[in-house]
Amino acid sequence: MFALVDCNNFFVSCERVFRPDLEGKAVVVLSNNDGCVVSRSNESKAMGIKMGTPFFKVRHMVDEGRLTAFSSNYALYGDLSGRVMSILADAVPHIEIYSIDEAFLHLDGIDPENVQEFCRSLVARVRQWVGIPVSIGVAPTKTLAKIASHFAKTHKGYRGVCMMDTDAKRLKALELTPIDDVWGVGRRLAPKMESWGVRSALDFVQRPKGWVQSRLGVNGLRTWEELCGIPCVEEENAERRKSICTSRSFADMIEDERELELRVSDFAAMCAKKLRDEGSAAYDVTVFMYTNRFREDLSQYFPSVTIRLPVAANSTQEIVSTALRALKTIYKEGYQYKKAGVTVSNIVPQDELQGVLFGYDQSLRQKQDRLSEVMDSVNSGSGKNLLRLAAQREGHYADGIRCERRSSLYTTSLDEIMKVH
DNA sequence: TCTGGGGTCCTAGGACCC
DNA sequence: TCTGGGGTCCTAGGACCC
């Protein structure tokens, strides 16, 4: 059996840990730039606020005092997530951390008679030790555990834990679950399902295997088998990410090439830092830009280009200079850019590069690596982003990003640094 | 005025090989 | 009239997730 532990309304719950006065009130957390709603309390859901709603459409509720809105505070959420996950990890033989607010627990070795009680105690422990409310769904497959946790979350009677441990419960749950609530059925598939007369998860599992395979391929088949109780969603090998991306929307649109160069070099520097942090290096550097797709009155342009390096790199200088070369090839005047980003991919372990360097200017390489190391060590102390390349912006990439409603960095030492500033 | 960021996997089609 | 067959690898685009 798998247990899916899911933090309820995670970002909102994080804010409430330090603002208990907001318990029972309508609260939302906004995306970067205070752009749109990405987390909602039950009260704000009940007010009809949908996931992804642009903030300007609900701002009047804030002005009227009916709603509290926070800018996102990822340092806080990441920290609290780590605390929740470490409690869970200590309790079971194996845990798969699936996202910032979700984890699958493997329950091997836990007496089946006691699973429900065990999960209830986990819910209580996380609530008491971290202050975050969680729901747990227990089922024979991950897709079913997702469904069970949804029941645990939406029906008070479960007291935080929903067990799907018999076939009768499974079928009942499938009957009550709309097909588009199923993990793996997204916004494209949902209308197709509808057109085939598949409304509930039960409708879906009642279709023959061949029918599913021919229409939906291996992905659909996997979902179908999981819903039938046959586990087939494997653990992702999370040891080394396959791509690393740093991108942001801008508070205002940018047309000037020099200004874009500053932003893109910051994104590239962030990517290089993330690579070094996990001991990786990348062969491919991609730069992309978007104009504002909501401005139908302006001409649109969504360019992207990838440069492959002869040898995988992770130094700030090489990733930044490559990204700037890439930018030069796609930048066109006369467009108002709203977003840009850098992705590094084709990632390999840093230490596999020895020997590949044959024929390369190894001393230049070594100098760059040494400089990146020094930058890391200076920048990791209190002088965040103190050392940077001349191509990078003065200040920090977060400058020029709106976050007017950010809560304090309650749990991280950066709080002190910010005060000094 | 104002619309997020970061990932993964699958598939179809083209290039290339013998 | 008539123009092979089979395989691999790579890439772009699409779909999904949180």
Side-chain angles (χ1 to χ4, degrees):
Chain A
M1 299 287 267
F2 294 97
L4 174 66
V5 184
D6 197 340
C7 300
N8 302 344
N9 312 331
F10 183 55
F11 296 171
V12 163
S13 296
C14 290
E15 298 293 345
R16 278 179 171 167
V17 168
F18 299 92
R19 289 286 309 275
D21 58 300
L22 293 175
E23 210 65 49
K25 305 260 174 65
V27 180
V28 294
V29 172
L30 306 172
S31 64
N32 251 335
N33 262 322
D34 294 347
C36 52
V37 172
V38 294
S39 180
R40 305 161 293 156
S41 69
N42 292 345
E43 298 76 15
S44 53
K45 289 175 189 171
M47 286 162 65
I49 299 171
K50 300 274 181 270
M51 189 70 173
T53 303
F55 179 49
F56 67 84
K57 290 189 177 171
V58 296
R59 169 170 269 161
H60 66 278
M61 299 181 186
V62 176
D63 298 337
E64 293 156 14
R66 301 153 56 203
L67 178 66
T68 303
F70 289 95
S71 302
S72 41
N73 184 345
Y74 290 105
L76 176 66
Y77 312 147
D79 183 73
L80 293 188
S81 171
R83 295 176 194 222
V84 171
M85 298 306 173
S86 74
I87 291 172
L88 300 178
D90 282 347
V92 292
H94 184 53
I95 176 174
E96 295 175 40
I97 297 175
Y98 178 71
S99 73
I100 193 165
D101 69 339
E102 273 176 72
F104 290 104
L105 311 184
H106 294 236
L107 300 174
D108 324 312
I110 291 161
D111 179 5
E113 296 289 303
N114 293 335
V115 166
Q116 181 158 20
E117 191 186 333
F118 170 81
C119 289
R120 288 237 166 90
S121 73
L122 271 184
V123 171
R125 195 179 309 163
V126 172
R127 182 73 197 227
Q128 188 182 350
W129 292 5
V130 194
I132 297 290
V134 304
S135 304
I136 303 183
V138 179
T141 71
K142 292 177 180 174
T143 306
L144 290 170
K146 280 264 192 186
I147 290 178
S149 83
H150 185 74
F151 279 90
K153 196 173 295 197
T154 48
H155 299 284
K156 271 215 146 56
Y158 287 111
R159 291 190 288 138
V161 178
C162 174
M163 304 286 298
M164 193 189 288
D165 50 1
T166 68
D167 218 41
K169 289 185 192 175
R170 179 177 70 87
L171 293 170
K172 186 68 189 164
L174 293 183
E175 188 187 347
L176 293 170
T177 302
I179 189 65
D180 53 334
D181 281 355
V182 172
W183 195 35
V185 179
R187 61 181 218 286
R188 299 287 179 162
L189 226 48
K192 273 197 201 173
M193 293 281 203
E194 178 79 9
S195 76
W196 297 327
V198 174
R199 293 204 162 71
S200 68
L202 186 63
D203 293 339
F204 186 55
V205 298
Q206 285 171 344
R207 300 293 162 126
K209 187 171 177 176
W211 183 94
V212 174
Q213 172 132 44
S214 63
R215 282 171 182 74
L216 300 169
V218 298
N219 283 320
L221 192 58
R222 191 175 302 147
T223 298
W224 184 85
E225 292 192 312
E226 284 255 321
L227 291 175
C228 291
I230 305 160
C232 48
V233 172
E234 298 292 328
E235 177 167 10
E236 261 173 33
N237 177 9
E239 275 179 15
R240 200 172 297 277
R241 287 176 286 180
K242 290 166 182 158
S243 67
I244 291 172
C245 175
T246 306
S247 74
R248 293 290 182 280
S249 292
F250 311 131
D252 303 301
M253 290 182 284
I254 296 175
E255 186 173 350
D256 179 52
E257 183 171 16
R258 175 63 190 150
E259 182 64 26
L260 278 170
E261 284 173 356
L262 296 172
R263 309 294 185 117
V264 164
S265 38
D266 259 346
F267 300 151
M270 296 276 298
C271 286
K273 176 70 165 64
K274 292 177 193 170
L275 283 169
R276 295 195 295 275
D277 283 348
E278 60 171 44
S280 296
Y283 278 98
D284 289 350
V285 179
T286 302
V287 173
F288 60 89
M289 303 189 288
Y290 298 141
T291 47
N292 189 341
R293 67 185 197 280
F294 297 102
R295 288 291 299 271
E296 290 175 6
D297 55 319
L298 299 176
S299 23
Q300 300 290 316
Y301 181 41
F302 308 110
S304 141
V305 67
T306 302
I307 291 182
R308 172 153 304 171
L309 297 166
V311 179
N314 63 14
S315 74
T316 299
Q317 302 97 294
E318 195 162 0
I319 302 291
V320 168
S321 63
T322 307
L324 289 175
R325 267 200 293 140
L327 173 63
K328 222 176 250 324
T329 68
I330 52 174
Y331 173 80
K332 279 203 262 178
E333 277 182 19
Y335 292 96
Q336 305 269 312
Y337 299 97
K338 178 62 179 167
K339 175 175 177 170
V342 175
T343 302
V344 290
S345 52
N346 223 325
I347 290 173
V348 294
Q350 188 174 15
D351 48 23
E352 273 178 24
L353 291 178
Q354 318 292 342
V356 186
L357 289 171
F358 206 61
Y360 256 77
D361 186 344
Q362 296 193 35
S363 68
L364 174 63
R365 236 320 138 138
Q366 281 161 8
K367 280 183 200 166
Q368 290 181 337
D369 290 347
R370 182 77 191 116
L371 182 53
S372 289
E373 263 174 49
V374 171
M375 289 174 68
D376 283 350
S377 79
V378 171
N379 290 339
S380 69
S382 57
K384 204 158 164 67
N385 217 29
L386 194 64
L387 274 188
R388 56 184 181 268
L389 300 182
Q392 291 177 256
R393 280 177 70 80
E394 208 170 309
H396 192 255
Y397 75 95
D399 296 351
I401 286 179
R402 246 190 311 270
C403 53
E404 292 162 359
R405 298 153 194 276
R406 175 115 79 210
S407 53
S408 306
L409 297 163
Y410 296 107
T411 60
T412 50
S413 57
L414 270 175
D415 202 12
E416 292 306 309
I417 298 162
M418 301 301 276
K419 278 182 200 158
V420 172
H421 278 277

